[in-house]
Amino acid sequence: MPKKSPRRRKNRRGDDNDSDNERASVSSIGSADYLSESHTIDMGSLNNTLASMEDDLEWDIGEDNEDYHAAHRDHVDKDAAAAAERRRSQKLSSVLATALDFPQEKRSAKREQLLKQWFKALTQYATDPPYETVEQHRDSLLEACCQYVLYRGSASPAEQYAACRVLEAMGMLLASQELYEETSKRLIRTVQSAHRATPVRSAALRAIGMIVLCGAEDDLITESVMELCETIISSSEYRNQPTPEALKAAAFEVWTVLATTIHELYVSGRDDVT
């Protein structure tokens, strides 16, 4: 990946009204959401883990399927490989189509299961570009994750975490400046919300980092996210709340990855050197 030229840092002020509203919501809630810091996308009840999802063997695309192995072993059977790819595409489309029903679903456990199914589909069934099937369901996925989960306060921390992971996966598949513009405000506010569970804030930071890494075209965007990470890492308190160590670790990870796309002079702090 070519590195971007050094340029002067510029302060990027957020919406003052949004900041005031966010601080007001924290003070009114009084206590933070809780989610175990060891929480992962595969955790949940026995019926709500990735392993418990619909059996892939019914679609002949599972890892234990003989046709799948034969098709991919030294590319012996191109027809079988093409058939396996079509089945994966059909499975991907079938799973992502459920995003249209998400706004009507009121049960938290069911919403979390849908989010996990989308994450599994995006990371396991979307195997080759162009990702046209993902693009077809892009708007409904973004609406579900950003509007119905991260924006609304009724979503559980587990739902919020899963939504961030879905956005992270979309960042890899649909890398674009437009995706950053559509998701950045909601993700950054999630990171900045002290009342959110720490794993949710960390997942939101990683999601915005992935979207910027893969799709941001303006180096000022990269620099602004790196500055957000620096603020989190260097502060014992963030927005008058103790900064969780796990969030600092996530910030360091995101900063390190994004630093690989920035000119060394910027990383060293020599912004004015040309």
Side-chain angles (χ1 to χ4, degrees):
M1 180 181 297
K3 295 193 174 183
K4 303 169 185 175
S5 61
R7 59 190 303 165
R8 183 184 302 276
R9 295 190 190 207
K10 295 184 179 180
N11 293 328
R12 296 167 58 89
R13 298 185 59 187
D15 189 320
D16 292 337
N17 292 331
D18 284 347
S19 299
D20 292 341
N21 292 338
E22 198 68 41
R23 285 191 290 269
S25 68
V26 172
S27 61
S28 63
I29 292 174
S31 60
D33 293 340
Y34 175 76
L35 192 64
S36 170
E37 292 192 2
S38 61
H39 184 84
T40 69
I41 192 69
D42 199 30
M43 296 184 69
S45 65
L46 292 178
N47 296 321
N48 205 16
T49 64
L50 297 186
S52 68
M53 302 300 176
E54 179 180 351
D55 189 359
D56 294 339
L57 293 180
E58 296 180 7
W59 290 77
D60 292 331
I61 59 176
E63 293 182 356
D64 296 329
N65 183 266
E66 291 299 329
D67 290 339
Y68 174 84
H69 283 297
H72 290 77
R73 186 168 50 243
D74 300 326
H75 304 283
V76 173
D77 191 339
K78 293 183 179 180
D79 290 337
E85 181 58 33
R86 286 194 296 272
R87 288 191 291 270
R88 282 182 175 271
S89 179
Q90 292 170 0
K91 176 66 173 179
L92 177 66
S93 180
S94 174
V95 173
L96 297 187
T98 60
L100 294 174
D101 301 325
F102 191 87
Q104 288 73 47
E105 181 56 60
K106 305 302 181 184
R107 294 168 295 175
S108 177
K110 179 61 175 179
R111 291 197 302 265
E112 182 188 354
Q113 185 180 45
L114 287 173
L115 290 161
K116 289 182 174 182
Q117 287 175 342
W118 302 342
F119 176 81
K120 182 177 182 179
L122 292 171
T123 56
Q124 297 186 24
Y125 307 147
T127 54
D128 295 303
Y131 303 108
E132 296 178 353
T133 301
V134 181
E135 188 66 51
Q136 291 172 2
H137 297 281
R138 169 200 183 104
D139 291 344
S140 56
L141 290 171
L142 290 179
E143 181 182 27
C145 294
C146 294
Q147 184 71 19
Y148 287 96
V149 178
L150 296 181
Y151 179 71
R152 297 189 176 182
S154 59
S156 70
E159 291 176 64
Q160 297 171 32
Y161 177 87
C164 291
R165 296 303 306 274
V166 171
L167 294 175
E168 180 184 358
M170 291 181 68
M172 291 184 284
L173 301 177
L174 303 179
S176 67
Q177 179 81 12
E178 182 182 4
L179 183 63
Y180 168 81
E181 294 171 352
E182 291 174 317
T183 60
S184 59
K185 181 177 180 180
R186 183 54 48 203
L187 285 172
I188 291 175
R189 289 188 62 187
T190 298
V191 174
Q192 295 173 334
S193 299
H195 71 280
R196 305 265 190 176
T198 298
V200 174
R201 299 172 68 187
S202 300
L205 185 56
R206 291 190 179 98
I208 194 65
M210 183 62 68
I211 292 170
V212 170
L213 176 69
C214 297
E217 300 171 0
D218 187 346
D219 56 348
L220 286 178
I221 292 176
T222 303
E223 293 170 11
S224 70
V225 175
M226 291 179 68
E227 288 174 355
L228 172 63
C229 293
E230 291 170 9
T231 301
I232 294 172
I233 294 169
S234 62
S235 303
S236 59
E237 290 188 351
Y238 186 70
R239 292 199 165 187
N240 299 320
Q241 296 291 331
T243 306
E245 294 300 321
L247 182 61
K248 286 187 177 184
F252 186 77
E253 292 171 358
V254 172
W255 187 96
T256 302
V257 171
L258 294 182
T260 63
T261 71
I262 294 294
H263 197 282
E264 289 86 347
L265 295 179
Y266 174 84
V267 176
S268 66
R270 299 165 61 190
D271 301 3
D272 297 328
V273 178
T274 58

